[in-house]
Amino acid sequence: MRGMVLRAHPRATLVDLGHEVPPQDIALAAFFLRAAVDRFPAGTVFAAVVDPEVGTARRALCVLAHACYWVGPDNGVLGEVHASARDAEARTVDFAHLGLEATARTFHGRDLFAPLCGRLAAGRVGFTAVGPRADAVVRAPSLLAGAPRVVFVDGFGNLVTNVPAAALAGVRAVRIGVRTVPVGDTYAAVAPGSPVAVVNSYDLLEVAVSRGSAAALLGCGVDTPVMLEANA
Amino acid sequence: MRGMVLRAHPRATLVDLGHEVPPQDIALAAFFLRAAVDRFPAGTVFAAVVDPEVGTARRALCVLAHACYWVGPDNGVLGEVHASARDAEARTVDFAHLGLEATARTFHGRDLFAPLCGRLAAGRVGFTAVGPRADAVVRAPSLLAGAPRVVFVDGFGNLVTNVPAAALAGVRAVRIGVRTVPVGDTYAAVAPGSPVAVVNSYDLLEVAVSRGSAAALLGCGVDTPVMLEANA
Amino acid sequence: MRGMVLRAHPRATLVDLGHEVPPQDIALAAFFLRAAVDRFPAGTVFAAVVDPEVGTARRALCVLAHACYWVGPDNGVLGEVHASARDAEARTVDFAHLGLEATARTFHGRDLFAPLCGRLAAGRVGFTAVGPRADAVVRAPSLLAGAPRVVFVDGFGNLVTNVPAAALAGVRAVRIGVRTVPVGDTYAAVAPGSPVAVVNSYDLLEVAVSRGSAAALLGCGVDTPVMLEANA
């Protein structure tokens, strides 16, 4: 994919958004894309190829939102970004009209999405030329929906929950597994090796261990429930 | 290595071809390099430093093929690319003549190959100036040779075989491990969680699991035999 | 972080120095930064965000040394680089004065360090404008201090020790675990599958296995002691 972007736009700057999305995890990819809003330069083209239905009749989309382009299959991966901007526009990509053809039915990222992204970034194709206006955009169940729980574990072993920072007013501690963990301002608010609940950089409740791994120390992972404890 | 490329060519664009080659796996690296042909811009310089004999008298090569440069030790890693182009040319790199000297005998990638690649990419050294014409290029046993079997497992758990797409005419299913897996057009041709055999983006037979991991579900891996079943 | 660098400097070239530093490992990060000296172009800005005390009152530094900028928390991560240059200068970063404010207390890399690095790289802020001169720079215990032992294991399973090359004069073999391993010039100085002790590209003693993994074959890891055996 990187090579095919560069064939279309030799001066492109290529950045990996992250390497933490497990195969097929549309909800987590949609979350990370939403979290990238306002963190990249205007005009950035995001290629979001979590695409378990590659090669079928599923549509491909190009979304214009937050002054960036977001390209991927219409399976929910772009749903959070699209819904987050009141003025978002979406187009169904007409690859044939753009002269793009897939040589494989299992990797449209390489054959179709990457060349399109390169052309968009180079200004060689404009948004309205991508294809017809899309009537609707698929939205997958949000990673953040449902009961309070761990929704992903990052590379540090931090347990990221779906509890928004706003829900923490008056909360002094959270219960997770067999532990009660105090709320703190920073990872270092507790002694090294001790657990702490912080507001993280996604503005979500996160259970961490100071200079350690909460996943390892607490034996918790995705879907572990969390409970908020108000002032006692 | 990345820094040393940039010292020679500060405006270079650096791309990792992949991270799936295990240490010392010359055959797999040679396969991936061959698969990169026509997927990168003309003039791309590929640095292929799978180099278990670093520091010995093994030769270093620069191959000009498919309008790109391919640089690495003469141990077979460049053999597939070289053999794939009728008009490929190869030069033995004369690092001393280029004013390049290794400070370590264990990492010529950093001391020699990266600076050479930067100079080639910057146009500061031309192909014929790299060194004398190489009489022959080592070719390692191809990853694709031998009996039908899994040759690598990708990051999705897909089982990539050495069976070319052309061999699948009239084939309805493949046997792998204790399973008979139907041939389909796409990963989504079967229900989620079910195995399917597809032609992949390398034009090879690949056994996958829809929205899952074939390696995990089928308990197969590198060297598991596959058998083709014609129409019953 | 990558996006925030690009927002400040859209033409920045972004390079990962490596992915081998475990979470919170300040000593290893400080070692790798020191090892990067003279391997990157002059003017390179290194962002070294190993930062377990993020969000507390710990200072942030910008070091000017070896014609490059080195940015990170004042927790020792920049200590080796700073100490390695006689003419190194250090400034305490005054983010507020630079108009930079953190939206999260858990990820100053994104909110503060990355924008600063982008501005430095773009030449939009000069070294003296970063903040007041720092009186001292924290230095963590060096990875290389202490008894002869393995200090890290690289991606090949090579056992990197803290023994400098200079200590190997007259040494024919090293003892590690239950094995006596001969000293050789290169990884290939012994038969495939056999262990060998070499001087590596950091100018340190390293125990390797030709075409194999020393960590796996010898069952050794970080902190395994090594002993030098002189000519018998």
Side-chain angles (χ1 to χ4, degrees):
Chain A
M1 283 185 66
R2 296 181 186 99
M4 295 302 275
V5 170
L6 291 169
R7 282 171 71 97
H9 181 26
R11 311 207 57 164
T13 297
L14 294 161
V15 173
D16 292 358
L17 186 58
H19 300 96
E20 294 185 315
V21 178
Q24 332 293 356
D25 195 335
I26 291 168
L28 188 54
F31 171 82
F32 282 137
L33 288 167
R34 173 66 185 81
V37 167
D38 290 340
R39 308 294 188 194
F40 282 79
T44 296
V45 181
F46 291 83
V49 189
V50 180
D51 194 9
E53 294 174 293
V54 57
T56 69
R58 65 97 187 83
R59 298 192 309 175
L61 293 180
C62 179
V63 170
L64 176 54
H66 305 287
C68 291
Y69 300 106
W70 312 78
V71 174
D74 184 20
N75 60 12
V77 73
L78 302 180
E80 297 299 313
V81 159
H82 182 263
S84 71
R86 207 165 302 191
D87 61 349
E89 299 177 60
R91 299 260 164 185
T92 301
V93 183
D94 185 342
F95 288 113
H97 185 74
L98 294 165
L100 292 170
E101 199 178 354
T103 61
R105 293 190 65 175
T106 55
F107 194 10
H108 287 183
R110 178 192 68 189
D111 296 345
L112 301 177
F113 289 110
L116 171 60
C117 290
R119 293 185 193 183
L120 282 164
R124 290 174 47 204
V125 63
F127 180 64
T128 56
V130 160
R133 194 180 296 275
D135 43 348
V137 170
V138 171
R139 197 164 178 193
S142 168
L143 187 74
L144 302 185
R149 67 192 194 287
V150 176
V151 291
F152 73 91
V153 181
D154 74 13
F156 295 88
N158 295 321
L159 305 165
V160 178
T161 78
N162 61 340
V163 178
L168 292 179
V171 172
R172 285 280 177 81
V174 305
R175 296 240 318 265
I176 182 168
V178 300
R179 303 286 286 255
T180 299
V181 176
V183 172
D185 280 336
T186 67
Y187 296 126
V190 296
S194 294
V196 62
V198 299
V199 173
N200 71 8
S201 56
Y202 302 112
D203 233 29
L204 295 173
L205 171 70
E206 175 180 308
V207 178
V209 162
S210 181
R211 294 186 181 245
S213 164
L217 183 75
L218 306 181
C220 298
V222 170
D223 286 336
T224 300
V226 292
M227 270 179 299
L228 309 184
E229 297 202 338
N231 291 352
Chain B
M1 284 184 67
R2 296 182 185 99
M4 296 301 276
V5 170
L6 291 169
R7 280 171 72 95
H9 181 26
R11 312 208 55 164
T13 296
L14 295 161
V15 173
D16 291 358
L17 187 58
H19 300 97
E20 295 185 314
V21 177
Q24 332 294 356
D25 194 336
I26 292 168
L28 187 54
F31 171 82
F32 283 136
L33 288 167
R34 173 66 185 83
V37 167
D38 291 341
R39 309 294 188 193
F40 282 79
T44 296
V45 181
F46 292 83
V49 190
V50 180
D51 193 9
E53 293 174 292
V54 58
T56 69
R58 65 99 187 81
R59 299 191 309 175
L61 294 179
C62 178
V63 170
L64 176 55
H66 305 287
C68 291
Y69 299 105
W70 312 77
V71 174
D74 185 21
N75 60 12
V77 72
L78 302 180
E80 296 299 313
V81 159
H82 182 262
S84 70
R86 206 165 303 192
D87 61 350
E89 297 177 60
R91 298 260 166 185
T92 301
V93 183
D94 185 342
F95 288 113
H97 185 74
L98 295 166
L100 292 170
E101 199 177 352
T103 62
R105 294 189 65 176
T106 55
F107 194 11
H108 287 184
R110 179 192 68 187
D111 295 345
L112 300 177
F113 289 110
L116 171 60
C117 290
R119 293 184 193 184
L120 282 165
R124 290 175 46 202
V125 63
F127 180 65
T128 56
V130 160
R133 193 180 296 275
D135 44 347
V137 170
V138 171
R139 197 163 178 193
S142 169
L143 186 76
L144 303 185
R149 68 191 194 286
V150 175
V151 291
F152 73 91
V153 181
D154 75 13
F156 295 89
N158 295 322
L159 305 165
V160 178
T161 78
N162 61 343
V163 177
L168 292 178
V171 171
R172 287 280 177 81
V174 305
R175 295 241 317 265
I176 181 166
V178 299
R179 303 285 287 254
T180 299
V181 176
V183 172
D185 281 334
T186 68
Y187 296 126
V190 296
S194 294
V196 62
V198 299
V199 173
N200 71 8
S201 56
Y202 302 112
D203 233 30
L204 295 172
L205 171 69
E206 175 181 309
V207 178
V209 162
S210 181
R211 295 186 180 243
S213 163
L217 183 76
L218 306 182
C220 298
V222 170
D223 286 336
T224 300
V226 292
M227 270 180 298
L228 309 184
E229 297 202 338
N231 291 352
Chain C
M1 283 185 65
R2 296 182 185 98
M4 295 301 276
V5 170
L6 291 169
R7 280 170 72 96
H9 181 26
R11 310 207 58 163
T13 296
L14 295 161
V15 173
D16 292 357
L17 186 58
H19 300 96
E20 294 185 316
V21 178
Q24 333 292 357
D25 195 335
I26 291 168
L28 187 54
F31 171 82
F32 282 137
L33 288 167
R34 173 68 185 80
V37 167
D38 291 340
R39 309 294 188 193
F40 282 80
T44 296
V45 181
F46 292 83
V49 189
V50 180
D51 193 8
E53 293 173 292
V54 58
T56 70
R58 65 97 186 82
R59 298 192 309 176
L61 293 179
C62 179
V63 171
L64 175 55
H66 304 287
C68 291
Y69 300 106
W70 312 77
V71 173
D74 184 21
N75 60 12
V77 72
L78 302 180
E80 296 299 313
V81 159
H82 182 261
S84 71
R86 207 165 303 191
D87 60 351
E89 298 177 61
R91 298 260 164 185
T92 301
V93 183
D94 185 343
F95 288 113
H97 185 73
L98 295 166
L100 291 170
E101 200 178 354
T103 61
R105 294 188 65 174
T106 55
F107 194 10
H108 287 184
R110 179 193 68 187
D111 294 346
L112 301 177
F113 289 110
L116 171 61
C117 290
R119 293 184 193 184
L120 282 164
R124 290 175 47 202
V125 64
F127 180 64
T128 56
V130 161
R133 195 180 295 274
D135 44 347
V137 170
V138 172
R139 197 164 177 193
S142 168
L143 187 75
L144 302 184
R149 67 190 195 287
V150 175
V151 290
F152 72 90
V153 182
D154 75 12
F156 295 89
N158 296 322
L159 305 164
V160 178
T161 79
N162 61 342
V163 177
L168 292 178
V171 171
R172 285 283 177 78
V174 305
R175 296 239 318 263
I176 181 166
V178 299
R179 304 285 287 254
T180 299
V181 176
V183 172
D185 281 335
T186 67
Y187 296 125
V190 296
S194 294
V196 62
V198 299
V199 173
N200 72 9
S201 56
Y202 302 111
D203 233 30
L204 295 172
L205 171 69
E206 174 180 309
V207 178
V209 162
S210 180
R211 294 186 181 245
S213 163
L217 183 75
L218 306 182
C220 298
V222 171
D223 287 335
T224 300
V226 292
M227 271 180 297
L228 309 184
E229 299 202 338
N231 290 353

